[in-house]
Amino acid sequence: DVKVTQSSRYLVKRTGEKVFLECVQDMDHENMFWYRQDPGLGLRLIYFSYDVKMKEKGDIPEGYSVSREKKERFSLILESASTNQTSMYLCASSLGLLTGFTDTQYFGPGTRLTVL
Amino acid sequence: QKEVEQNSGPLSVPEGAIASLNCTYSDRGSQSFFWYRQYSGKSPELIMSIYSNGDKEDGRFTAQLNKASQYVSLLIRDSQPSDSATYLCAVNLAGTASKLTFGTGTRLQVTL
């Protein structure tokens, strides 16, 4: 079974703080993703990585950065947290098939971040 | 126009009935399609993937893909109260590598 874990289920931070969200997968997947999920807006891609030290911006990268120093770990960083970054953050990973088709993404349990 | 569209619901069906969930997408070149189920407060979990036109069955679930009409649907037979959840349609839009674009989900309520 694929296992994707996230460092915290709930997190409360103050405006202006630097926030680190960690994600670890144990299936040697190539691709890792960070999403945020908000009511009425669905899942939106923040960043993704298809290899160690490689990253690409998703649809809403502003205010976020990422780090992938090891294959199994993908970190999301909020440099200076703001109240509009209060959300559910979901990490996902996928195998990274070299075919014309996209493979399944497996999600971690999510981190509900509140910025006060 | 949204790239992946779903009716937000709620879709209410009685226990034992067939639930039909629909999803349309904007890009005719899309190749990979996924249905996820998400319980309240939980993360999405995969129900089924489908890549070819036609039907794909897995237990009580059937995914249907029609690329010409740009829609994908999920049928749930013999609906159970435990099927009450939000169902997310996800599409790999053409030219977006390994990324998925998600619809906003349809909330399904199975009533006793």
Side-chain angles (χ1 to χ4, degrees):
Chain A
D1 272 358
V2 176
K3 190 168 184 182
V4 181
T5 58
Q6 294 183 231
S7 50
S8 306
R9 291 300 309 274
Y10 300 94
L11 207 54
V12 179
K13 296 291 182 180
R14 297 206 175 272
T15 301
E17 280 192 78
K18 191 169 186 176
V19 182
F20 293 87
L21 302 181
E22 301 281 332
C23 175
V24 177
Q25 51 92 5
D26 67 355
M27 287 302 292
D28 202 33
H29 282 179
E30 301 292 332
N31 300 329
M32 296 188 76
F33 307 83
W34 275 107
Y35 296 89
R36 62 178 284 176
Q37 187 174 31
D38 301 287
L41 297 177
L43 277 159
R44 293 179 291 167
L45 182 65
I46 304 171
Y47 267 98
F48 76 102
S49 169
Y50 52 89
D51 200 354
V52 175
K53 296 190 185 294
M54 305 300 288
K55 61 185 179 184
E56 284 198 24
K57 294 180 180 179
D59 301 317
I60 50 164
E62 296 79 19
Y64 303 95
S65 62
V66 291
S67 173
R68 193 171 182 196
E69 297 295 320
K70 294 184 177 181
K71 190 174 185 179
E72 68 271 17
R73 188 179 298 268
F74 192 35
S75 302
L76 180 69
I77 304 154
L78 288 65
E79 296 289 343
S80 178
S82 64
T83 55
N84 63 12
Q85 292 178 311
T86 292
S87 186
M88 170 70 89
Y89 289 88
L90 289 158
C91 175
S93 71
S94 69
L95 183 60
L97 297 172
L98 296 178
T99 68
F101 300 99
T102 297
D103 51 319
T104 300
Q105 290 185 19
Y106 297 92
F107 286 85
T111 296
R112 185 163 294 281
L113 173 67
T114 302
V115 182
L116 301 174
Chain B
Q1 181 191 3
K2 293 182 182 177
E3 294 175 306
V4 179
E5 291 205 60
Q6 297 180 255
N7 188 317
S8 61
L11 173 66
S12 185
V13 300
E15 185 177 5
I18 295 175
S20 177
L21 304 159
N22 299 311
C23 172
T24 59
Y25 58 94
S26 60
D27 196 325
R28 189 174 290 275
S30 300
Q31 298 277 12
S32 307
F33 307 85
F34 303 82
W35 281 101
Y36 286 84
R37 177 176 62 198
Q38 186 174 25
Y39 293 112
S40 180
K42 302 293 186 181
S43 60
E45 55 180 335
L46 180 75
I47 297 176
M48 192 175 298
S49 59
I50 186 167
Y51 302 98
S52 305
N53 275 329
D55 294 0
K56 180 180 178 183
E57 188 174 317
D58 184 359
R60 295 186 296 112
F61 299 95
T62 299
Q64 300 175 317
L65 175 60
N66 184 323
K67 290 185 179 180
S69 299
Q70 295 173 235
Y71 82 79
V72 56
S73 61
L74 180 70
L75 300 179
I76 307 174
R77 289 182 299 282
D78 187 24
S79 295
Q80 301 297 309
S82 59
D83 295 325
S84 298
T86 297
Y87 290 80
L88 304 175
C89 170
V91 178
N92 173 234
L93 300 176
T96 60
S98 299
K99 295 190 290 185
L100 293 179
T101 300
F102 286 81
T104 53
T106 298
R107 190 156 64 92
L108 173 67
Q109 293 178 338
V110 180
T111 58
L112 296 172

